[in-house]
Amino acid sequence: MMLSVEKALKLQGERLAFDVTAPAPRAEFQGDQIGFDGEIALHGFMTGIGDSVALNGELTAQLVSPCARCLEESRLDMRVTFDEIFVRQPDADHPDAYLFEGDQVDLTDMIVANIAMNLPMQFLCSQDCKGLCPICGQNLNQGSCGCDPALERSAFSALKALLDVKDDKEV
């Protein structure tokens, strides 16, 4: 996604509005488990400061990923504020600045970084998602499966059995 900053570089110090919409970048998040639905929109202001351009504003995108509990598709409307600097030459005062040439800045890396930093720990289809039955795999949001919860075996059930031994032997 490219943004022309020619006007900001000519009108130094002026705060100029911008709005851009483009197809989502082809970025891989969490092993390609998270995708985009639709376009990404950015709006905000750009200011020319010498040979650099400061951008601040908000980006919006809709992300799609399997629910962490039931594996059904879940959607997240993301709104991320950003405040970034684009420079022509690497600058020790701004080590996190993005480089650009000419009068266009490529927003792709900035978009990917800002979305990655603001991803939730897990995607849920809803806060009250009941998840899957650990025995049969039934989606519990669609109804009860009838499995006996006493039959549930966890990965630690063998260790628990060792603790339940009434013997004074060390394990």
Side-chain angles (χ1 to χ4, degrees), residues 15-85:
R15 197 166 181 229
L16 305 169
F18 70 90
D19 282 299
V20 286
T21 304
R26 299 217 180 258
E28 195 172 287
F29 294 106
Q30 294 181 358
D32 207 22
Q33 288 293 308
I34 300 172
F36 291 97
D37 186 21
E39 297 181 322
I40 292 183
L42 286 95
H43 64 274
F45 297 93
M46 59 180 154
T47 307
I49 307 164
D51 264 356
S52 61
V53 177
L55 297 180
N56 59 8
E58 181 180 70
L59 73 88
T60 57
Q62 187 175 65
L63 302 178
V64 180
S65 180
C67 174
R69 294 181 188 159
C70 70
L71 304 178
E72 293 291 324
E73 184 178 273
S74 64
R75 295 179 175 278
L76 173 69
D77 290 324
M78 266 194 114
R79 287 186 144 19
V80 177
T81 59
F82 61 87
D83 190 6
E84 304 290 353
I85 296 178

Side-chain angles (χ1 to χ4, degrees), residues 150-168:
L151 296 177
E152 179 183 342
R153 287 196 48 133
S154 75
F156 297 103
S157 60
L159 293 174
K160 184 178 180 314
L162 290 173
L163 292 174
D164 290 341
V165 175
K166 301 287 186 210
D167 209 356
D168 288 335

Side-chain angles (χ1 to χ4, degrees), residues 99-166:
L99 295 176
F100 78 100
E101 295 177 2
D103 61 357
Q104 300 262 333
V105 295
D106 186 353
L107 300 172
T108 305
D109 290 341
M110 182 204 78
I111 291 168
V112 170
N114 277 278
I115 288 176
M117 287 188 296
N118 289 283
L119 285 174
M121 292 299 286
Q122 58 181 232
F123 280 74
L124 298 176
C125 60
S126 70
Q127 290 299 326
D128 59 342
C129 177
K130 297 175 185 173
L132 301 175
C133 172
I135 299 168
C136 71
Q138 163 74 27
N139 185 338
L140 298 175
N141 296 313
Q142 298 171 351
S144 179
C145 60
C147 291
D148 183 1
L151 296 177
E152 179 183 342
R153 287 196 48 133
S154 75
F156 297 103
S157 60
L159 293 174
K160 184 178 180 314
L162 290 173
L163 292 174
D164 290 341
V165 175
K166 301 287 186 210

